[in-house]
Amino acid sequence: MSTPLLSVRDLVKHFPIKSGIFGKVSGQVRAVDGISFDVNAAETLALVGESGCGKSTAGRAILRLIEPTSGSVSFDGHDVLTLGREELRRLRRKMQIIFQDPFSSLNPRMSIGAIVREGLTIHKLAEGAAADTRVRQLLDEVGLRPEYASRYPHEFSGGQRQRVGIARALSVEPSFIVCDEPVSALDVSVQAQVVNLLQDLQRDRGLAYLFIAHDLSVVEHIADRVAVMYLGHIVELAPVDMLFDMPIMPYTQALLSAVPAPEPGVKRERILLTGDVPSPANPPSGCVFHPRCQHPAKDEECARVVPPLEEKTPGHWAACIKQNAPDFFIPRSALHRSVPSPVNS
Amino acid sequence: MTPPLLEIDNLRTWFYTDSGVARSVDGVSMRVDAGETLGVVGESGCGKSVTALSILRLIRAPGRIEPGSAIRFEGKDLLTLAEADIRHVRGNRIAMVFQEPMTALNPVFTVGDQIAEVARIHTDMSRKEAAAKAVEMLRLVGIPDPERRATEYPHQLSGGMRQRIVIAMALVMNPALLIADEPTTALDVTIQAQILELLADLTRRLGTSILLITHDLGVVAENCTRVIVMYAGEVVEEATTSDLFRHAHHPYTEGLLGAMPRVGGHAERLATIPGTVPAPTNWPAGCRFRERCEYAWERCEQEHPPLYQIGEGHVSRCHLAVEPERRANRHVPIAAQVGAGAA
């Protein structure tokens, strides 16, 4: 197998908690607590999990938009975490990001043409008339009229602004884009347009995506592989079909069963997780999921032993000491796949 | 036949803005029966939240509920009630739960005090009785250790907990109708499942009717008996949930169902609805969905479609109801032909 485009190893990001007037560090929020994964060229790896699980922090730490505490990130042969400022800036041409909120991620005082053009100027890719032409091409490519270049962000709808964000990321011809919840703020019909656009661009340009999301139905649609995060840890990682068909981790099973089925009459046996996600400032010992886990074999060992992320079946990694292959402690009918779909449009 | 609990008749809520009159809700009729959960779906700007606010007369200037609108609830027309009487309905007979629980709670009072306040306003309970009532409500909505939680402040609670508090507050007076406006949109999927389960359980135990406003068709499928689809200030389709999902009639409903990625469904490409919702200050003449529709023909431009009856309890605002053969005649919608720029 060829070397992956991006390799993340034991990435850690802890935020200090400061207290008192002298700002004494009284604890650590363990937002990302040692995660490892690869992203191959032209592949989409989805990073899913609930709010506070550390998925966005992970995405930003990889690009060094926030400095990771420790670990290593290698991108296209470069060790990202040891690069100097100038080298990092050059490398960022190849690694871009699209943000969730298309309202706050565009400068309201810049025309969208200027927003898209900025990257071209900074990286000295084009100037003058050549840059204008390039901006118009980019807008056209993301489905915006080239003559919109002189308009300002407030004149656009959420979906259109997200297209501007995509054009801005594409302007420097990256090979890898972190998509941080790019469609979460959009209405369903517009969401579908943006998801299709991202897929078309990937096909045409061979882009690799780290697709950060909490909506599992979008993830199933767009991802090649999926990593599930919980409290700063990757608890399961598998090709998309495998993960949705045969989830191993009790947490993944609960997460999948919680997605409302858009089919009336299909009432799934839902694993209702009790309680809330614990605070990452004070994570549980052992397996971070054990206080909410409903696996019948759960015992005090789970509270003691930190489960390693192991390859349980080929390509399917999971961090659970009680479950080896998917032996379904919950009925499979609780998951969606096994129910034949009565609606097939 | 018993009269419905709530009956909205030709509701028009317009906003008189500098850039023109925004006809956000433009002739909406619907009913909610006792004990049922009615889903109202639609995308941002379709008028679903304004409809909900209109029921409780929470519309402020420049908004106005136009004459000729009627909202009947338990035999009274809410729109003609005196201010004191509508206040008695709010929180007492009809309660509302909003999307963002943090903005609905006062940060400087304990949650127990805030729940007790509702009881104190609407009844002559003593301080002590009201405090006991608050604890009882917290228990009802499944909050562990309710005595201790009652003494905590909103910021000490998670999003899911806060939404439970807001629901507890709404249910203090045992209202006949609960309006829930996107109650789970701000929550994670596992917490959303808990809250929806709680609402379903409450309707079973207390017989509360729910008007559930959401953009998520999955939430509708699992929780509602009937659904209303809104588009551009109007009801475009109404059906039982199973009818709507199996035999959607309106092209907009079809589009929404197709655009929704579903766990277990494996479409290579998601269906999209080209274009965007038109501005409420300037709804197009004829069918308001026409420019985004794959079937639109001349009639759709000339004639604003009425709600056609197409089955029992199933209505649709589409001329296809009377010219079904047009369904074979699909073409690229105008909004997509204009091409670049549509988002």
Side-chain angles (χ1 to χ4, degrees), chain B:
Chain B
M1 218 180 121
T2 51
L5 178 70
L6 175 80
E7 200 173 10
I8 300 177
D9 191 14
N10 192 28
L11 175 70
R12 288 174 304 142
T13 307
W14 294 1
F15 291 81
Y16 293 81
T17 68
D18 292 342
S19 44
V21 181
R23 294 183 284 157
S24 301
V25 175
D26 202 18
V28 164
S29 301
M30 63 176 75
R31 61 163 221 282
V32 182
D33 291 325
E36 85 165 336
T37 301
L38 173 70
V40 176
V41 289
E43 299 181 281
S44 347
C46 71
K48 54 193 195 301
S49 292
V50 175
T51 302
L53 292 172
S54 301
I55 296 172
L56 287 174
R57 282 187 24 207
L58 293 171
I59 301 294
R60 293 284 170 265
R64 197 176 88 175
I65 299 176
E66 297 297 307
S69 313
I71 298 177
R72 281 179 289 276
F73 174 76
E74 293 185 327
K76 296 183 283 269
D77 186 348
L78 298 183
L79 298 182
T80 58
L81 283 186
E83 189 56 35
D85 295 327
I86 186 81
R87 222 177 278 157
H88 176 76
V89 173
R90 283 184 205 137
N92 201 357
R93 303 302 301 150
I94 304 180
M96 192 151 177
V97 174
F98 297 92
Q99 170 173 346
E100 179 41 69
M102 199 56 203
T103 52
L105 294 169
N106 189 328
V108 300
F109 289 100
T110 66
V111 297
D113 284 347
Q114 295 187 56
I115 301 171
E117 188 193 2
V118 181
R120 301 255 298 153
I121 288 172
H122 289 287
T123 67
D124 51 9
M125 267 185 208
S126 71
R127 211 168 269 281
K128 216 168 159 188
E129 285 166 340
K133 179 76 180 173
V135 172
E136 179 197 322
M137 293 315 296
L138 289 176
R139 190 170 288 124
L140 178 79
V141 295
I143 289 190
D145 199 1
E147 287 85 359
R148 187 172 62 81
R149 288 295 182 182
T151 64
E152 294 191 338
Y153 291 86
H155 75 267
Q156 293 172 286
L157 305 168
S158 66
M161 284 282 203
R162 285 181 204 146
Q163 199 57 292
R164 281 174 194 265
I165 306 283
V166 173
I167 292 171
M169 227 162 153
L171 293 175
V172 171
M173 298 311 299
N174 196 7
L177 175 66
L178 181 68
I179 301 174
D181 189 357
E182 304 268 7
T184 58
T185 307
L187 306 175
D188 279 318
V189 61
T190 59
I191 308 296
Q192 163 173 301
Q194 292 174 3
I195 297 289
L196 292 173
E197 199 67 35
L198 169 69
L199 288 177
D201 183 53
L202 292 171
T203 40
R204 277 193 299 269
R205 280 195 289 165
L206 310 174
T208 319
S209 300
I210 298 181
L211 182 65
L212 182 65
I213 298 172
T214 177
H215 67 280
D216 186 336
L217 286 159
V219 168
V220 166
E222 290 203 358
N223 297 278
C224 302
T225 34
R226 251 174 353 106
V227 198
I228 282 179
V229 181
M230 285 186 68
Y231 182 77
E234 298 181 313
V235 172
V236 294
E237 186 156 6
E238 176 182 344
T240 62
T241 309
S242 61
D243 258 3
L244 189 92
F245 280 81
R246 297 200 168 85
H247 313 288
H249 183 273
H250 199 283
Y252 177 64
T253 315
E254 256 180 25
L256 275 186
L257 289 168
M260 182 178 50
R262 39 186 87 191
V263 169
H266 242 331
E268 264 310 302
R269 248 183 113 68
L270 294 172
T272 62
I273 306 175
T276 38
V277 183
T281 45
N282 193 17
W283 298 133
C287 173
R288 293 178 183 177
F289 186 62
R290 173 176 58 90
E291 295 198 340
R292 307 176 72 189
C293 181
E294 295 180 308
Y295 309 105
W297 66 100
E298 304 75 40
R299 184 173 186 169
C300 309
E301 200 175 339
Q302 291 148 5
E303 194 185 326
H304 183 247
L307 278 173
Y308 294 103
Q309 187 85 35
I310 55 166
E312 210 197 318
H314 193 165
V315 294
S316 168
R317 194 180 289 280
C318 178
H319 293 309
L320 282 172
V322 282
E323 295 185 47
E325 68 283 356
R326 294 272 181 181
R327 218 176 257 281
N329 193 6
R330 278 161 81 141
H331 55 81
V332 178
I334 297 171
Q337 288 167 3
V338 175

Side-chain angles (χ1 to χ4, degrees), chain A residues 50-51 143 145 160 163 187 189 192-193 196 200 217 220-221 241 258 260-264 267 270 273 275-276 336-337, chain B residues 43-44 158 188 190-192 194 218 221-222 242 245 260-264 266-267 269-273 338 340-341 343:
Chain A
E50 300 181 275
S51 18
R145 291 190 200 195
Q160 287 173 318
R163 288 171 192 265
D187 275 321
S189 69
Q193 295 173 6
N196 285 346
D200 291 347
S217 42
E220 192 194 22
H221 189 78
D241 287 348
E263 277 149 39
K267 197 75 182 172
R270 180 160 287 159
L273 289 180
D276 294 303
H336 194 74
R337 268 295 175 82
Chain B
E43 299 181 281
S44 347
S158 66
D188 279 318
T190 59
I191 308 296
Q192 163 173 301
Q194 292 174 3
E222 290 203 358
S242 61
F245 280 81
M260 182 178 50
R262 39 186 87 191
V263 169
H266 242 331
R269 248 183 113 68
L270 294 172
T272 62
I273 306 175
V338 175

